C-alpha cells in the first residue's frame, strides 16, 4: 500500500550525521544508490554540517559550558546534584533541555517573588533581594547560552527553509533582539531593578521558544 | 489499480468500511487510506500544503480522505515506533514534496481518527483545523484552529494565526510575525505568546496562565477563577485587562516607562503611582501580575 517515496527529512539527516538506526541502513543505502536527488541532498547536508562545525562559535560544545553552569547551580541548590553519568558528556542538546527546565523553574519562582515584592513596595524601587536578583540573572544567562546554541542549529536548517519562512524568523529575531538590547541598556542605568531583569529573562525565553519553533517548522 | 487496492484495504477492515461510509456521506472526497487502529495509536503528519482537517471520532479506525491522490503521498505503519523504538505502533502520512516546498501543490485532507489519538502535525503552509484531537500542531505560515474536547495541546506557527477554542488541561501556543493568538474554550494551564501579533484571552477556566508578547497587545476579558494565577508580560505592547464588577482578584500592574491606568472606579489601589499599582478586587481570590517595559497597562470594567 505504501507508495514509493524519497527518504524522509529525518532519514537524510540521519545518514548525513551518522545517527541513522542500524536496521534502516541497508534500505537507505540501497535507495541512495538509486536516487540521485536524495544522494545529492545528503551530500548538501554534509557540506552544511561541515561548514557549521568549522564556524567558530562559543556554544559549539555545550560540554565546555557545563562546569560553570553547574558551579552556579551548586551555589543556589537545596539538594545536591547527582554526579554526571558517564557517557552523558558530549550530548549538548539533552543537557541544555535539562538546564532549560531548571531555568524555567527559576523564572516561575522569580515571578512569584517579584509579585510579592511589588505587593508591598512600588515597582519603580523594588526591595533589595539578592537571591531573586541572582536567580533572574542566572536564568537570563542560561537562556542566552541556549539561544546561542539554537542559533547555530538555525543556520544549519536555513538552507532547507522557504524564503518567506526564513524572512519571518529573521524579522522576529530582530524584534526580540531589539527588545533585549533596550532592556540591557535600561539595566545598565538601573542594575538593581528586578522587574527589568525579569523582563529580560522573559525576552530571552521568547527568543529560545522562537528558535525551537523553527525546528518544527523547518 | 490504486482504487482496487484501496477497495481491498477497506474490505479487509470491516469497521473501517463502516467508518469510511459515514465519513464520506457528505463528501466527494476519495479515500486514500482506511485502517483499523487501536484507540491510542499515534499519528504523524508531514509536509502538507493546503489544508488539513482532523476529526476525532468514537471509532477505532483511521480514514484519510482527499479530493485527489497527491503524487508523492505516502502512508506508513511503523510497528514499535519505527526508527525511535517506543514499543508503540504508529502511523505516519503526508506528501513528500519538494524539499524547499517552494512549489508545493496545495492538497486538502480530511482525517478521521480515534479521539484518544495523539497527533503530530508538521505542515508547511497548511491551515490546520482539528476537532476533539490532542497533540502537537505546527505550521510555517498556515493558520491553526483547535476545537472540541482534547487533552494537551502544543501549538506553534511561525507567522500564522492560532485559535484555541477547546477544552484542554494543558496548552502551549506560540506564534510569530504578525500572527494573532486567541485563547478561549475551557483551558486550564496555558502558556501563550506572540511577537507582533495580538494575544486575546477570553475564558474563565484558566488556573495557571502565562501570556507574553514583544510588540503585540495582550487583552484579557473574562472572570478569573478563584485560586488562579496569571502572569502577563509585554515589552512595548499594551496589556488590557477587562474584568467584571464581581471579579475577585489581587492585581499587581506595572510598567517600567509606560503608564498604568485604572478604569474601575470602585477599586482603590493599595500602593502605586503612574508606573505601578497594587489593588484588590473582591476578596482577591485570583492573583494577576502584569509587567511591561513601555506598553500601557489598562484595567477597566467589562463592557456591558
Amino acid at each position: 500500500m505504501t507508495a514509493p517515496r524519497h527518504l524522509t527529512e529525518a532519514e537524510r539527516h540521519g545518514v548525513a550525521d551518522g545517527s541513522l538506526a542500524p536496521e534502516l541502513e541497508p534500505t537507505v543505502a540501497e535507495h541512495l544508490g538509486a536516487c540521485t536527488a536524495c544522494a545529492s541532498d545528503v551530500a548538501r547536508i554534509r557540506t552544511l554540517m561541515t561548514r557549521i562545525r568549522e564556524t567558530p562559535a562559543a556554544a559549539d560544545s555545550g560540554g565546555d559550558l557545563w562546569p560553570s553552569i553547574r558551579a552556579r547551580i551548586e551555589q543556589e541548590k537545596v539538594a545536591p546534584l547527582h554526579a554526571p553519568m558517564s557517557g552523558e558528556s558530549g550530548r549538548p542538546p539533552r543537557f541544555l533541555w535539562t538546564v532549560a527546565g531548571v531555568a524555567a523553574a527559576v523564572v516561575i519562582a522569580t515571578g512569584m517573588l517579584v509579585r510579592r515584592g511589588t505587593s508591598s513596595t512600588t515597582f519603580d524601587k523594588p526591595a533589595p533581594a539578592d537571591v531573586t536578583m541572582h536567580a533572574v540573572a542566572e536564568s537570563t544567562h542560561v537562556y542566552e547560552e541556549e539561544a546561542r546554541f539554537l542559533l547555530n542549529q538555525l543556520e544549519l536548517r536555513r538552507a532547507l527553509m522557504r524564503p518567506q519562512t526564513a524572512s519571518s524568523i529573521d524579522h522576529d529575531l530582530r524584534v526580540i533582539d531589539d527588545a533585549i538590547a533596550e532592556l540591557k541598556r535600561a539595566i545598565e542605568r538601573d542594575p538593581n531593578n528586578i522587574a527589568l531583569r525579569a523582563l529580560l529573562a522573559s525576552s530571552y525565553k521568547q527568543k529560545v521558544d522562537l528558535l525551537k519553533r523553527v525546528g518544527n517548522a523547518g | 489499480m490504486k482504487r482496487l487496492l484501496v477497495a481491498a484495504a477497506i474490505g479487509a477492515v470491516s469497521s473501517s468500511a463502516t467508518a469510511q461510509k459515514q465519513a464520506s456521506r457528505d463528501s466527494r472526497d476519495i479515500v486514500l487510506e482506511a485502517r483499523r487502529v487501536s484507540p491510542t495509536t499515534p499519528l504523524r503528519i508531514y509536509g502538507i500544503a493546503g489544508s488539513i482537517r482532523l476529526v476525532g471520532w468514537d471509532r477505532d479506525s483511521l480514514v484519510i480522505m482527499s479530493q485527489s491522490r497527491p503524487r508523492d503521498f505516502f502512508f506508513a505503519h511503523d510497528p514499535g515506533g519505527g526508527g525511535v523504538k517506543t514499543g508503540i505502533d504508529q502511523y505516519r502520512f503526508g506528501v513528500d514534496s519538494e524539499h524547499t516546498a517552494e512549489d508545493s501543490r496545495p492538497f486538502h485532507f480530511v482525517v478521521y481518527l480515534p479521539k484518544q489519538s495523539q497527533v503530530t502535525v508538521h505542515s508547511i503552509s497548511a491551515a490546520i483545523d482539528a476537532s476533539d484531537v490532542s497533540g502537537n500542531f505546527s505550521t510555517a505560515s498556515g493558520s491553526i484552529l483547535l476545537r472540541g474536547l482534547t487533552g494537551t495541546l502544543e501549538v506553534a506557527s511561525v507567522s500564522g494565526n492560532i485559535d484555541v477554542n477547546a477544552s484542554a488541561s494543558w496548552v502551549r501556543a506560540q506564534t510569530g510575525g504578525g500572527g494573532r493568538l486567541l485563547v478561549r474554550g475551557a483551558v486550564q494551564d496555558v502558556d501563550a505568546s506572540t511577537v507582533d501579533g495580538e494575544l486575546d484571552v477570553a475564558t474563565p477556566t484558566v488556573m495557571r496562565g502565562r501570556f507574553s508578547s514583544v510588540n503585540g497587545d495582550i487583552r484579557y476579558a473574562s472572570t478569573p477563577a478563584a485560586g488562579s494565577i496569571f502572569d502577563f508580560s509585554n515589552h512595548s505592547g499594551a496589556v488590557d485587562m477587562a474584568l467584571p464588577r464581581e471579579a475577585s482578584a489581587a492585581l499587581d500592574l506595572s510598567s517600567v516607562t509606560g503608564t498604568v491606568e485604572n478604569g474601575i472606579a470602585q477599586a482603590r489601589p493599595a500602593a502605586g503611582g503612574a508606573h505601578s499599582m497594587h489593588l484588590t478586587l473582591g476578596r482577591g481570590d485570583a492573583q494577576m501580575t502584569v509587567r511591561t517595559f513601555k506598553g500601557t497597562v489598562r484595567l477597566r470594567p467589562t463592557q456591558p
Side-chain angles (χ1 to χ4, degrees), chain A residues 189-218:
Chain A
R189 293 192 295 272
D190 187 2
N192 294 321
N193 191 327
I194 295 172
L196 278 174
R197 290 184 181 272
L199 283 166
L200 180 63
S202 177
S203 294
Y204 269 117
K205 178 183 180 293
Q206 284 211 320
K207 186 171 180 177
V208 167
D209 287 343
L210 166 66
L211 292 167
K212 286 179 182 172
R213 275 206 299 277
V214 175
N216 287 333

Side-chain angles (χ1 to χ4, degrees), chain B residues 43-183:
Chain B
L43 175 66
R44 305 174 77 86
I45 303 168
Y46 296 101
I48 309 290
S51 72
I52 180 160
R53 190 158 74 89
L54 299 153
V55 182
W57 64 1
D58 292 318
R59 295 174 184 277
D60 292 350
S61 54
L62 167 69
V63 178
I64 304 169
M65 308 172 75
S66 182
Q67 289 179 344
S68 61
R69 189 179 188 88
R71 187 169 56 88
D72 295 320
F73 176 81
F74 67 90
F75 180 88
H77 175 212
D78 296 323
V84 181
K85 296 295 177 192
T86 59
I88 302 169
D89 287 8
Q90 68 174 27
Y91 290 92
R92 58 190 158 87
F93 82 89
V95 180
D96 201 5
S97 54
E98 303 304 320
H99 301 152
T100 60
E102 191 63 46
D103 55 353
S104 296
R105 269 186 63 194
F107 290 98
H108 305 283
F109 288 88
V110 180
V111 182
Y112 293 84
L113 66 165
K115 280 182 176 172
Q116 291 84 359
S117 298
Q118 277 290 320
V119 179
T120 301
V121 185
H122 292 305
S123 89
I124 302 161
S125 57
I128 301 169
D129 179 345
S131 301
D132 298 318
V133 176
S134 306
N136 184 321
F137 305 83
S138 69
T139 175
S141 58
S143 60
I144 302 175
L145 167 60
L146 305 177
R147 300 180 282 192
L149 193 63
T150 69
T152 61
L153 298 171
E154 185 147 12
V155 198
S157 178
V158 172
S159 59
N161 296 332
I162 296 174
D163 181 354
V164 178
N165 184 19
S167 169
S169 58
W170 184 88
V171 176
R172 182 181 170 89
Q174 302 167 336
T175 184
R180 295 180 60 175
L181 176 50
L182 172 58
V183 179

Side-chain angles (χ1 to χ4, degrees), chain A residues 7-76:
Chain A
L7 296 182
T8 64
E9 201 64 55
E11 286 167 343
R12 287 193 292 270
H13 280 271
V15 175
D17 63 17
S19 63
L20 189 70
E23 63 269 26
L24 294 176
E25 281 175 2
T27 319
V28 169
E30 186 183 350
H31 181 84
L32 285 174
C35 178
T36 51
C38 286
S40 66
D41 197 51
V42 167
R44 187 166 57 88
I45 293 168
R46 279 187 179 135
T47 308
L48 280 169
M49 291 177 69
T50 308
R51 225 178 277 164
I52 287 294
R53 282 169 185 160
E54 286 171 353
T55 306
D60 235 9
S61 165
D64 295 341
L65 303 169
W66 179 234
S68 61
I69 293 171
R70 185 186 175 95
R72 280 192 293 274
I73 292 173
E74 288 285 344
Q75 287 173 4
E76 293 297 319

